Amino acid sequence: MPMPDWNQDSLVWRFAMTDDGPDFHDTPGFDPPDPWLLAIAAVARDLRCLRYGERELQVERLVWELAISDQYAVTLGWRGPRVGGFNLCHGVSMDAPYPQAAVWVAETTQGELTGYEFIQWPSRGRHILNPLLHPEGPVWVDPHTDTPVATIGELCEQTAAWEALAPPQER
């Protein structure tokens, strides 16, 4: 049975996020706001690392859905194999700047994965990192030390740097 279209009175973009950018499946005939597209791209990059759990998540096969209502509020969602779909709107404006959009997309994605898919993401050791709007921009923060550990969108690069610095017995 097909999923109902909760965004029937909205502008809706559906796309897969590839290494080269969005691969649009459905659009209203023009591109979505850049800050939101960049935020989803950043979170999609980060989804490729520090993910733990029973359920497999095929990031490259997720079909993201970005919708803007007639009240200019953003709804975010996705559909994908082996993972449940979702659509959430918390009244964040389509005019939000990139840092705010990135934190909201990261927080929404993290909540969906942890709460419904039993996937810990992003998890560094026993610590689940939290997205936060920091003076330098959107970052992942270790909640035990309140220390920024990576910029949202650069988590995998930071993970590679941590692994390169780890003593041989910890690799």
Side-chain angles (χ1 to χ4, degrees):
M1 180 165 133
M3 295 285 290
D5 187 358
W6 302 109
N7 296 311
Q8 60 190 359
D9 294 329
S10 300
L11 298 172
V12 180
W13 294 265
R14 290 180 183 91
F15 53 93
M17 191 55 75
T18 69
D19 290 338
D20 297 325
D23 178 14
F24 288 103
H25 298 210
D26 189 19
T27 74
F30 51 92
D31 289 342
D34 281 341
W36 288 99
L37 197 55
L38 293 171
I40 292 170
V43 171
R45 281 192 306 275
D46 286 353
L47 274 171
R48 297 178 188 277
C49 59
L50 298 182
R51 200 176 62 237
Y52 302 96
E54 298 288 320
R55 190 164 300 208
E56 182 181 343
L57 178 65
Q58 297 172 325
V59 177
E60 65 283 348
R61 295 190 59 202
L62 291 175
V63 176
W64 292 84
E65 183 173 286
L66 177 67
I68 298 175
S69 74
D70 58 354
Q71 301 297 310
Y72 306 107
V74 171
T75 298
L76 176 70
W78 71 33
R79 306 273 183 270
R82 300 187 185 138
V83 65
F86 77 97
N87 275 13
L88 291 173
C89 178
H90 292 130
V92 180
S93 171
M94 68 175 256
D95 294 326
Y98 168 76
Q100 182 183 354
V103 169
W104 187 77
V105 170
E107 195 172 68
T108 300
T109 301
Q110 182 183 59
E112 182 64 26
L113 290 175
T114 302
Y116 297 100
E117 301 297 332
F118 310 108
I119 295 172
Q120 305 290 319
W121 174 81
S123 180
R124 184 174 175 215
R126 291 185 211 136
H127 302 156
I128 293 180
L129 305 176
N130 294 326
L132 181 71
L133 187 53
H134 197 265
E136 284 82 40
V139 295
W140 291 108
V141 173
D142 183 324
H144 293 90
T145 63
D146 288 329
T147 306
V149 296
T151 299
I152 292 176
E154 298 177 6
L155 188 60
C156 296
E157 290 85 353
Q158 185 61 48
T159 300
W162 292 328
E163 290 173 358
L165 295 174
Q169 67 273 14
E170 294 180 20
R171 288 188 198 156

